[in-house]
């Protein structure tokens, strides 16, 4: 399933999800490869149910997928969705850099005028 980030609802949900340390740690762990909820729960002093809740939040905002493999339910990152998020952040960075470049040009112009 392909999702695209819209500027209103999707981004709010994604950043709210990533605003939690446990969910960020789950994302970092999944960057290394697939893992079950039990494997994801290992480094935390949390119940599997609590980790499952975090996985559900990440799954609903499209950052991870969970598949059925017999008795296992491995989770993995949605690389396309993560790429969309990185693209959005990169676009914001480019816009700010452009604004800062324009400000730097303006300030250089003001300094040059004062020296005349």
């Amino acid at each position: 399933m392909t999702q695209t980030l819209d500027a209103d609802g999707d981004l709010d949900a994604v950043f709210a999800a990533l605003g939690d340390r446990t969910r960020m740690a789950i994302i970092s762990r999944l960057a290394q490869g697939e893992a079950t909820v039990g494997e994801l729960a290992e480094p935390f002093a949390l119940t599997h149910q609590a980790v499952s809740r975090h996985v559900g939040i990440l799954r609903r905002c499209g950052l991870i997928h969970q598949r059925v493999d017999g008795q296992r339910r491995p989770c993995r990152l949605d690389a396309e969705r993560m790429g969309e998020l990185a693209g959005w952040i990169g676009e914001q960075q480019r816009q700010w850099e452009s604004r800062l470049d324009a400000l730097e040009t303006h300030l250089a112009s003001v300094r040059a005028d004062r020296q005349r």
Side-chain angles (χ1 to χ4, degrees), residues 18 20 27 38 40 43 51 54 56 60 96-97 103 105 114:
L18 293 175
D20 181 275
I27 292 292
L40 292 171
V51 173
H54 287 295
R60 282 190 295 279
W96 272 103
E97 287 173 350
L103 178 60
T105 300
R114 286 184 181 172

Side-chain angles (χ1 to χ4, degrees), residues 2-59:
T2 299
Q3 297 177 332
T4 56
L5 294 170
D6 79 44
D8 298 326
D10 286 354
L11 284 173
D12 290 349
V14 168
F15 284 116
L18 293 175
D20 181 275
R21 288 180 182 216
T22 301
R23 290 191 286 270
M24 285 181 55
I26 289 170
I27 292 292
S28 294
R29 167 56 186 88
L30 291 174
Q32 299 170 20
E34 262 188 8
T36 63
V37 170
E39 293 165 336
L40 292 171
E42 287 173 4
F44 304 107
L46 298 172
T47 64
H48 284 208
Q49 185 179 15
V51 173
S52 288
R53 186 177 61 81
H54 287 295
V55 165
I57 290 168
L58 292 169
R59 194 180 57 241

Side-chain angles (χ1 to χ4, degrees), residues 53-77:
R53 186 177 61 81
H54 287 295
V55 165
I57 290 168
L58 292 169
R59 194 180 57 241
R60 282 190 295 279
C61 65
L63 293 174
I64 67 173
H65 288 288
Q66 196 170 22
R67 66 182 174 87
V68 176
D69 181 19
Q71 297 289 323
R72 302 175 65 236
R73 304 287 186 269
C75 304
R76 66 176 170 79
L77 286 180

Side-chain angles (χ1 to χ4, degrees), residues 64 70 78 85 90:
I64 67 173
D78 183 327
L85 184 59

